[in-house]
Amino acid sequence: MLQLDARLALAEDLLGRCETLYDIGSNHGFLAVHMLRTGRCRRAVLCDISADALSRARGLVARAGLADRAAFAVTDGFAGLDPQPGDAAAILGMGGRTIAAILREGLPCPVVLQANVEIACARRRVEQAGMHIAREGVARAAGRLYVVMRAEPGPAAPMSEAELRLGPALLRDKPTGAREYLRWRRRVAARALEGARLGTDAEKLRRAEAEFACIEAALRRMEEEEA
C-alpha cells in the first residue's frame, strides 16, 4: 500500500474523515489516493492550475483503481468548486502568500494548510477569512521540519504577533516536535539577525531583532513550562 511521508501523514491526521476531499494543488495525488483507499473520504476532487501537473495524479488514481471515486479539476484554487460542511480541503506545499491568495474567503468546511515559507501570511488570511486555527502539528520529512495546521469555520480571538509568527495552537498545545521547531526557528533568526547587524538597513535590523526576540521568548516559556 502507498505510504505517506510524515508531512502528508500529519496532514491526513488533521483532515480526519470527510465526505469529499478537495486537494488543491494535488501534485502527485498521494494524499487523496491514500485517503480514498483507507476510507477517510468517500470522494476526492484533485485540483491544479496546470493540466500537465494534474496528469500525474490522474495516472496514480487510475493505477489504484479509484477513478470512479475521484474527479479532476483544472482550476485556480477553489474557483468553480463547491465544498460543503461535511467536506475537507487541503492546500499543501506552497508559499504562504500563494495559500493566502487561494483562500480568498472562508470555507464551510475544515482546511488543512502547510506553507513552505511565509507561514504568517497563511495564518493572517485564515483570520481575515473568518476562520480559526484549531490544531497545529510538526513533522520532519526529507530532513526538514514542517508545520501543518487545521483551520475551521468561525472566527476566534485575534492572533497576537507571536501566534502569527509561530502558531496559536502550536504555542498552546505544544505538540510533539514543537520545541525542536522553535529551536530551529531560533537558529535561523539568529543568523538573520547577525547578517542584519552587519548591514546598514535599520528597518531590516528592526525586523530581525523582533523576530529573534519573539522566538526566544516563546521558546523560554515552553521550556519553563515543561521543566
Side-chain angles (χ1 to χ4, degrees), residues 112-197:
V112 169
L113 310 170
Q114 180 263 306
N116 291 338
V117 294
E118 297 183 306
I119 191 170
C121 292
R123 291 194 182 101
R124 174 66 78 190
R125 179 49 58 89
V126 167
E127 187 174 80
Q128 292 170 339
M131 303 183 76
H132 66 279
I133 296 171
R135 292 176 59 196
E136 291 177 293
V138 179
R140 177 179 287 278
R144 179 174 176 176
L145 290 172
Y146 296 91
V147 172
V148 187
M149 52 191 169
R150 175 185 168 102
E152 297 180 353
M159 283 181 275
S160 67
E161 188 63 29
E163 289 172 332
L164 277 171
R165 292 176 188 265
L166 305 173
L170 187 144
L171 294 176
R172 180 192 68 225
D173 301 333
K174 306 173 190 63
T176 301
R179 185 162 59 173
E180 180 187 7
Y181 171 72
L182 290 183
R183 286 173 173 170
W184 170 75
R185 285 285 302 269
R186 181 173 62 181
R187 291 195 297 271
V188 172
R191 290 195 295 269
L193 178 57
E194 183 179 359
R197 284 172 173 164

Side-chain angles (χ1 to χ4, degrees), residues 7-23:
R7 178 182 70 99
L8 292 179
L10 175 56
E12 183 181 65
D13 177 64
L14 291 174
L15 282 163
R17 294 185 177 275
C18 62
E19 184 66 26
T20 299
L21 168 67
Y22 290 86
D23 191 0

Side-chain angles (χ1 to χ4, degrees), residues 95-119:
R97 292 184 187 275
T98 301
I99 290 175
I102 291 172
L103 196 64
R104 296 187 181 100
E105 57 187 30
L107 299 176
C109 64
V111 55
V112 169
L113 310 170
Q114 180 263 306
N116 291 338
V117 294
E118 297 183 306
I119 191 170

